[in-house]
Amino acid sequence: FSQEAKAAASLSHPNIITVYDFGITSTGEAYLVMDYLVGSSLSSILDMSGPIPEAEALDIFRQICRGLVHAHNKGIVHRDLKPANLVLTADDDGSVLVRIVDFGIAKILPSDGEASQGLTKTGDIFGSPLYMSPEQWTASKLDYRSDIYSLGCVMYEILTGMPPFAGDTPMDTMNLHLNEQAPPFRETNPHVKISKELEQVVQTCLEKKVNHRYQTVSEVLHALPDSGASPVSSQTGTVIVKLNQMVESAQQKSGGSQNSVQTSKQKTVVDSRRPRAIRKLIKES
């Protein structure tokens, strides 16, 4: 615990939750002192509103990438990247800031970038089934490219409203991650309009073989296409229109409590919210 908490405390980036202190009480209970975030988890927003438009999704992706680049530069692999571990908070200027949280199963890598036997032993499986990389499922050695695969799962879900791989059981989900290619966006959700360039970025992140993926998150960041019709943004480049409305309405509904959401009503042709069965799978994951 101390090693992992120290690693989390070493991170200092706008897109990563800050750990101020950690330790073990006299009764043997471990504790962390972190930022208190008043906002909404990305998972909650997706549950209520469904997929996020490409221009706004790109802003989210860039913020996640910047946070991961910082963590990886510090030698830390998150290992549990998922929408529930991404919290959106509204800044004073009305912009929305994405924060990566929960480095509870993160691991420190040595300087060569591969997990040592002392940190990730053969047979250890950590993560959330819907977002785990093939190498996580097979308890293989992990490096930063495992987070890139999980990022691909997150991006796919943000854009389509559904995770790329969701079996009826964890074993079914494992088989999908190991053996099946992610279906095209239009097959998963025919109502979304996503550029071919962005879909290709996501599919590259989801390659089964690590050498076929982007090798660093910086490569992912640079491969992301420019948003065509960019939403109104602040001087820092963060989106301040629809995402801001989602976060603020969540805070009003919950009285400022953390990680709950009620999005504002929008006129849509179809109900884009995720099916209850998928929401249940994601909650269990």
Side-chain angles (χ1 to χ4, degrees):
F1 164 77
S2 295
Q3 177 173 271
E4 291 162 12
K6 185 177 181 180
S10 72
L11 300 175
S12 178
H13 191 274
N15 297 120
I16 297 177
I17 193 169
T18 302
V19 175
Y20 297 100
D21 195 12
F22 63 90
I24 299 177
T25 67
S26 57
T27 57
E29 295 175 316
Y31 68 88
L32 290 169
V33 180
M34 300 180 289
D35 285 326
Y36 175 74
L37 301 182
V38 179
S40 308
S41 74
L42 188 55
S43 181
S44 297
I45 291 176
L46 291 171
D47 281 343
M48 295 301 298
S49 67
I52 294 174
E54 179 171 338
E56 294 172 318
L58 281 167
D59 181 79
I60 294 174
F61 300 160
R62 290 190 178 96
Q63 294 193 54
I64 298 171
C65 285
R66 292 181 188 119
L68 285 177
V69 167
H70 178 76
H72 291 177
N73 285 342
K74 293 285 187 176
I76 298 172
V77 179
H78 190 285
R79 296 203 303 175
D80 197 24
L81 194 68
K82 57 184 179 181
N85 286 338
L86 298 166
V87 177
L88 278 61
T89 63
D91 268 353
D92 292 338
D93 66 353
S95 63
V96 170
L97 186 67
V98 181
R99 306 286 288 277
I100 304 172
V101 305
D102 196 355
F103 281 79
I105 65 170
K107 285 296 180 183
I108 308 171
L109 299 187
S111 57
D112 62 6
E114 288 191 356
S116 68
Q117 289 293 325
L119 290 174
T120 304
K121 297 176 290 186
T122 302
D124 285 348
I125 298 179
F126 299 96
S128 300
L130 292 176
Y131 311 96
M132 287 167 58
S133 67
E135 54 269 33
Q136 282 179 288
W137 281 109
T138 56
S140 303
K141 288 184 178 181
L142 303 182
D143 60 24
Y144 310 118
R145 294 170 293 184
S146 179
D147 278 349
I148 291 175
Y149 183 91
S150 299
L151 174 62
C153 293
V154 170
M155 292 195 293
Y156 190 103
E157 187 172 341
I158 290 173
L159 292 166
T160 68
M162 305 282 283
F165 306 108
D168 293 332
T169 68
M171 290 301 294
D172 290 338
T173 300
M174 177 188 73
N175 288 329
L176 292 172
H177 278 291
L178 293 177
N179 302 310
E180 300 294 331
Q181 295 299 314
F185 287 169
R186 285 193 173 276
E187 184 177 316
T188 299
N189 188 339
H191 303 290
V192 299
K193 295 181 179 180
I194 306 299
S195 66
K196 292 181 180 179
E197 293 81 5
L198 181 54
E199 183 165 7
Q200 183 58 52
V201 171
V202 176
Q203 293 289 1
T204 302
C205 290
L206 291 173
E207 288 285 349
K208 306 301 182 186
K209 296 182 179 180
V210 294
N211 290 332
H212 293 173
R213 296 175 207 154
Y214 295 106
Q215 299 301 289
T216 67
V217 180
S218 292
E219 290 183 11
V220 181
L221 184 59
H222 292 144
L224 290 172
D226 294 331
S227 53
S230 299
V232 179
S233 60
S234 68
Q235 291 181 350
T236 58
T238 50
V239 173
I240 66 174
V241 185
K242 190 177 293 184
L243 292 179
N244 176 267
Q245 294 173 356
M246 292 178 180
V247 174
E248 288 189 347
S249 60
Q251 295 172 8
Q252 292 170 3
K253 180 68 176 180
S254 62
S257 62
Q258 186 176 354
N259 290 350
S260 60
V261 66
Q262 175 65 47
T263 61
S264 57
K265 293 182 179 179
Q266 300 173 23
K267 294 181 180 179
T268 54
V269 177
V270 295
D271 184 354
S272 61
R273 291 177 296 179
R274 300 192 286 194
R276 183 174 297 178
I278 290 295
R279 297 203 301 269
K280 184 175 183 293
L281 274 175
I282 291 169
K283 185 176 181 181
E284 292 173 349
S285 184

